[in-house]
Amino acid sequence: MKPGEIWKSQSPRQRAVMAVLALMAGAALYLWIVLSADQARTQLRVTVAMLRAQSASLEQQAVELGRLRGMPAKPASQSDVLALVQTQAGAAGLSGMLTRIEAMDSNQVKVVFGAVPFADWLAWVGALQSLQMRLDTCRIEALSTPGLVSVTANFVRSRPQ
């Protein structure tokens, strides 16, 4: 049977019931779609408000970053580099082994160790590198005592990129 024939084969009362049921199902579907759309719109409004606030915050941060980048760099003093290297030597327990330390310029320090354990020297160089101090030149001589070395080295403050 064709769909039109099924409809015609039903009694008028059955057709009315089927029409009312179809109308109620359509109305329920329409109501569900409208409520879902309203809920999604409400969620989008909240999300858009949050994104606008984040956007404004990012804009302010970008302006501040531009201002900070435009500021002239603070001139480094010789004592800052010298103090940094001396402090790190003290923290590593090497200050007593330090024979001489002098600032060559505002970004360069020369250190001389008469006798220092090689492993301690390497750890100290690593600590200075983590503070943006780069080993520029170095002369290491083994001493007669196993594990001890004599060191003359120049450290240079790395430039931020």
Side-chain angles (χ1 to χ4, degrees):
M1 277 190 176
K2 294 181 182 178
E5 293 174 3
I6 295 174
W7 179 258
K8 290 179 184 176
S9 69
Q10 303 297 320
S11 69
R13 182 182 172 136
Q14 288 176 332
R15 284 189 220 163
V17 169
M18 288 172 52
V20 169
L21 287 176
L23 184 63
M24 288 175 55
L29 180 63
Y30 177 77
L31 184 62
W32 177 74
I33 290 173
V34 168
L35 290 176
S36 295
D38 186 53
Q39 183 181 13
R41 186 183 62 207
T42 302
Q43 288 175 346
L44 285 175
R45 280 185 183 157
V46 170
T47 303
V48 166
M50 286 183 352
L51 289 174
R52 284 185 177 151
Q54 288 175 350
S55 174
S57 174
L58 284 174
E59 288 293 328
Q60 290 173 346
Q61 291 173 2
V63 168
E64 179 67 11
L65 180 62
R67 185 185 70 76
L68 291 174
R69 283 188 175 162
M71 292 176 64
K74 177 183 167 188
S77 70
Q78 289 183 359
S79 62
D80 288 345
V81 175
L82 189 63
L84 174 69
V85 173
Q86 283 177 329
T87 302
Q88 288 303 308
L94 302 178
S95 58
M97 300 173 211
L98 198 56
T99 306
R100 189 175 78 205
I101 182 169
E102 63 182 90
M104 306 303 281
D105 61 30
S106 63
N107 289 315
Q108 188 173 4
V109 175
K110 181 177 184 175
V111 294
V112 178
F113 288 95
V116 63
F118 186 67
D120 293 348
W121 160 255
L122 287 178
W124 185 62
V125 170
L128 286 175
Q129 286 176 341
S130 69
L131 297 172
Q132 308 304 318
M133 293 296 293
R134 178 177 51 87
L135 181 61
D136 187 38
T137 60
C138 182
R139 183 180 55 83
I140 300 175
E141 295 177 9
L143 299 177
S144 59
T145 307
L148 290 182
V149 292
S150 169
V151 178
T152 302
N154 286 347
F155 287 93
V156 177
R157 185 187 324 222
S158 298
R159 304 253 183 222
Q161 297 180 1

